[in-house]
Amino acid sequence: MNAFNKIFTFISLSLLLSGCSDFLNETPNGVLSADQVNDPDKLLTATYSALGNDHYDVPLSLWPYGTVRSDDAYKGGSGPSDIQTFHFFEVSNNILPNFGEVDRLWFQCYVAISRANNTIRAIQESDNLANREAKMGEARFLRGHFYFLLKVLFKYVPYVDENKPVDEYELVSNRALSNDELWQKIVDDFEYATEHLPPVQSEIGRANKFAAAGYLAKTYLYKAYRQDEAEKHAVTSINQADLQQVLENTELVLSSGHTLESDFAFNFLPGSYENGSEALFSVQYSKDDGTKFGRVNLSDLLSVPMGVGCCDFNKPSQSLVNAFRTSGDGLPLTNYNTLNAYSTSEKYDPRLFHTVAIPGLPYKYNSNRIYEESWNRNPAEYSVYASLKENVDPDCDCFVPMVPFYANSKNRIVIRFADVLLMRAEALIELGRHSEALPLINELRTRAKNSLALTGYASGESRIETYQDGINITWSQSTARQALRWERRLELAMENGRFFDLVRWGNAGQAMNEYYGVERTRRSYYANAQFVTDKHEYLPIPEAQITLSKYLYKQNPGY
């Protein structure tokens, strides 16, 4: 028997070896050639794909960092220990440099930047590439986008471009450039994109000239608010030249043909509403595309209320609901945050009903699906509201069950025309040209007033009016600034920019500690919440990244 086994093995091995030459000449599945790896078009597509290469606890929508960390939302979920890292950000307590979620977010952004850099190098090295400058503009737009995310999150980050090999990334200090110099690098990318991208792209979802101009204006607006460089984050001045650039680039967008949607709701509906007149740039999602679940929005997967899915995170705060309250003349209330629940005896800005799901009202405009208190996972701690903008009606074929989770394939807008109007109004106000900002803000308020077609069930509780200088307001620079900042909160609520606005204006500490003071009377887990100025404005540099840099990276103040 042993002799037989040896003979059989010898014969089998001989047969195998005789076929090796043919086998080794075959290209295995999933292996790319050098030409494919260096193909600029394929690399550019891979860079676009990075916009959706995230996860519910590493969301590129930044909802834990721009909304939950602000006064607009509670973390939600089953309780404080459910993704506890995000709970610590909500209450500004026990924030540590070793949080895995923050490290993975840093890593994900730099993977995307590396893809953009590879694309730029491939474009530079290609001899016969059609539309070279436009494709370079797309790559630089995408690189600018990911650096913008890193900048508002961490303030000081290592800047690497196409001239730096990947294996040398760790040799670049996160303090090699000043705060203003880092902003300028991002400006440079968006300026190139604005100059070289076409006004219209042949394929939906690609960045064009006006998306780049809008993002460039946004970058200049952030850059304008100069911060103390001496280990502090206080705003020391507002640069007038940067504000002029905001005006120039928003003017370009205003001339583009982009407009406000006729109804506020249309920005947050799927299907034919996507990529509409107000959307300058959106992350494109899909389903039924040959993959198991499709290219769905994993960033906002957790915000679905329990009544229709899972897992009831990112829940509008009572403060945000109260912020929509209006006075008898239809203007925001100064002393707004005094109620502990939504009240049908009050009047509200109509945008509330497009932003917040309220018990007893239709969910996502579906009169056959009434949002109930029982849909809330932990109402004792996180109240009874749910976020609407990123969610869809479960009856939509864009609603994708991934049990136990439920995603959707509705696009997520990164920059919309309303934000451009507000950026322009802010620059005008800070330049002392506040009278020119009045019609821009009123344009948004008028649109809000006319956005009742899908929320007729709340028409009795809806009231909003425009600002009228000398009649219902004295329009000075001070009152204009207050109105502008309030308008940004209401118009862009739950779109994950609120906290970054507060930091840019230099009043995050004051706003958050006032918020915590009221919330302690509503939510017991806020008992020890405390925002520390010159620390909590930015995330800690991930400890793992500092270690990988052999301690070249310098930690942010306070951590």
Side-chain angles (χ1 to χ4, degrees):
M1 181 64 70
N2 288 339
F4 177 81
N5 282 341
K6 290 178 180 178
I7 293 170
F8 180 79
T9 301
F10 175 78
I11 294 172
S12 299
L13 184 59
S14 298
L15 291 172
L16 178 62
L17 291 174
S18 68
C20 267
S21 60
D22 292 336
F23 174 76
L24 293 174
N25 287 330
E26 294 293 326
T27 301
N29 291 331
V31 175
L32 301 178
S33 68
D35 288 342
Q36 288 173 313
V37 168
N38 294 311
D39 183 292
D41 290 315
K42 290 182 172 62
L43 287 169
L44 183 57
T45 298
T47 308
Y48 271 105
S49 75
L51 293 166
N53 284 353
D54 52 0
H55 194 252
Y56 61 74
D57 61 351
V58 189
L60 291 175
S61 67
L62 304 188
W63 63 264
Y65 309 102
T67 297
V68 167
R69 201 158 50 133
S70 79
D71 48 2
D72 276 3
Y74 309 128
K75 175 186 72 70
S78 64
S81 62
D82 196 355
I83 313 186
Q84 191 174 43
T85 292
F86 297 163
H87 165 74
F88 292 140
F89 286 126
E90 182 188 350
V91 298
S92 298
N93 201 335
N94 201 39
I95 298 174
L96 301 174
N98 63 356
F99 287 157
E101 293 86 351
V102 176
D103 180 51
R104 293 198 302 275
L105 181 58
W106 173 290
F107 175 78
Q108 200 66 42
C109 287
Y110 274 107
V111 167
I113 288 166
S114 179
R115 291 186 180 190
N117 287 338
N118 288 337
T119 304
I120 292 168
R121 278 193 294 268
I123 292 171
Q124 291 171 338
E125 295 167 1
S126 179
D127 295 327
N128 300 303
L129 182 65
N131 302 315
R132 174 190 299 270
E133 290 186 340
K135 289 173 181 176
M136 182 72 79
E138 290 183 73
R140 293 191 67 170
F141 175 94
L142 293 169
R143 183 172 69 182
H145 166 73
F146 284 103
Y147 268 122
F148 187 95
L149 300 187
L150 287 166
K151 188 73 180 70
V152 297
L153 289 167
F154 298 100
K155 187 175 183 177
Y156 293 111
V157 297
Y159 186 86
V160 291
D161 61 15
E162 71 278 9
N163 299 312
K164 180 66 64 175
V166 174
D167 59 0
E168 294 182 15
Y169 279 16
E170 65 185 38
L171 303 179
V172 180
S173 170
N174 67 324
R175 297 298 183 96
L177 299 176
S178 68
N179 183 49
D180 186 58
E181 288 170 337
L182 274 169
W183 278 126
Q184 186 60 48
K185 289 291 187 181
I186 302 171
V187 161
D188 292 344
D189 274 345
F190 288 129
E191 279 189 337
Y192 184 96
T194 301
E195 292 171 4
H196 294 94
L197 284 174
V200 178
Q201 291 277 20
S202 59
E203 293 181 308
I204 292 174
R206 291 187 180 275
N208 63 26
K209 174 184 290 290
F210 305 118
Y215 224 142
L216 179 56
K218 185 174 184 178
T219 306
Y220 265 121
L221 185 60
Y222 274 77
K223 182 176 180 289
Y225 289 82
R226 301 300 169 87
Q227 293 184 351
D228 192 327
E229 292 282 355
E231 298 296 312
K232 296 182 183 296
H233 309 310
V235 174
T236 57
S237 64
I238 305 177
N239 185 273
Q240 304 290 289
D242 288 343
L243 294 177
Q244 289 290 349
Q245 289 293 328
V246 175
L247 296 187
E248 285 189 24
N249 287 284
T250 54
E251 180 65 29
L252 181 57
V253 179
L254 264 60
S255 68
S256 68
H258 279 281
T259 61
L260 293 177
E261 294 281 4
S262 59
D263 193 304
F264 184 76
F266 296 167
N267 289 296
F268 313 106
L269 291 174
S272 61
Y273 295 100
E274 294 173 305
N275 301 306
S277 63
E278 194 166 335
L280 272 69
F281 185 72
S282 303
V283 180
Q284 307 291 311
Y285 296 109
S286 64
K287 64 184 291 287
D288 300 327
D289 55 8
T291 59
K292 183 175 182 181
F293 295 112
R295 184 64 161 177
V296 293
N297 180 0
L298 297 181
S299 264
D300 302 306
L301 179 105
L302 296 180
S303 67
V304 181
M306 300 303 290
V308 293
C310 180
C311 295
D312 203 35
F313 278 76
N314 196 24
K315 297 173 67 61
S317 68
Q318 186 62 52
S319 172
L320 178 62
V321 172
N322 287 342
F324 285 95
R325 293 171 64 195
T326 57
S327 60
D329 57 3
L331 300 186
L333 286 176
T334 302
N335 187 25
Y336 72 98
N337 197 16
T338 57
L339 300 182
N340 290 326
Y342 169 79
S343 172
T344 56
S345 63
E346 295 286 315
K347 299 297 182 184
Y348 295 89
D349 185 311
R351 288 171 288 193
L352 169 67
F353 306 104
H354 302 283
T355 304
V356 180
I358 297 170
L361 298 181
Y363 180 72
K364 219 45 189 177
Y365 317 116
N366 186 344
S367 59
N368 295 317
R369 193 183 295 275
I370 305 301
Y371 178 77
E372 304 293 346
E373 287 193 22
S374 61
W375 292 19
N376 290 274
R377 193 173 177 186
N378 186 350
E381 289 191 300
Y382 297 124
S383 194
V384 295
Y385 309 114
S387 182
L388 284 176
K389 288 181 176 179
E390 71 276 24
N391 280 314
V392 300
D393 182 349
D395 292 343
C396 174
D397 64 3
C398 61
F399 190 65
V400 183
M402 302 171 62
V403 179
F405 304 113
Y406 295 79
N408 70 69
S409 59
K410 178 175 71 67
N411 290 352
R412 175 170 58 82
I413 298 176
V414 175
I415 299 182
R416 59 186 177 95
F417 189 74
D419 195 3
V420 172
L421 292 180
L422 289 167
M423 289 188 282
R424 183 173 181 82
E426 184 171 343
L428 287 167
I429 290 166
E430 298 305 335
L431 286 168
R433 297 163 57 182
H434 42 278
S435 61
E436 297 174 62
L438 179 58
L440 299 175
I441 294 173
N442 278 342
E443 190 174 343
L444 293 171
R445 295 182 68 79
T446 299
R447 195 265 296 270
K449 186 176 183 178
N450 295 329
S451 298
L452 297 175
L454 296 177
T455 58
Y457 45 80
S459 59
E461 291 77 56
S462 299
R463 180 160 191 182
I464 185 174
E465 297 295 340
T466 58
Y467 293 105
Q468 302 172 63
D469 187 21
I471 299 175
N472 59 13
I473 192 171
T474 300
W475 193 256
S476 63
Q477 185 182 44
S478 177
T479 58
R481 182 183 294 120
Q482 182 180 3
L484 176 281
R485 294 181 178 185
W486 205 250
E487 203 68 22
R488 282 196 69 86
R489 186 179 189 189
L490 302 186
E491 176 71 23
L492 304 173
M494 305 303 291
E495 295 180 48
N496 309 319
R498 170 65 174 171
F499 182 80
F500 308 126
D501 280 346
L502 294 175
V503 173
R504 182 176 82 252
W505 297 328
N507 62 357
Q510 177 184 349
M512 292 309 300
N513 285 323
E514 287 178 359
Y515 169 70
Y516 290 153
V518 176
E519 283 301 319
R520 288 189 190 97
T521 68
R522 296 172 176 153
R523 319 255 83 85
S524 60
Y525 69 86
Y526 274 93
N528 297 316
Q530 182 67 39
F531 189 97
V532 178
T533 301
D534 295 328
K535 175 182 178 180
H536 288 140
E537 289 89 346
Y538 294 95
L539 303 182
I541 305 300
E543 187 174 79
Q545 301 303 322
I546 293 176
T547 302
L548 286 170
S549 75
K550 299 179 176 62
Y551 301 93
L552 177 65
Y553 296 170
K554 185 176 180 180
Q555 185 56 270
N556 278 332
Y559 294 106

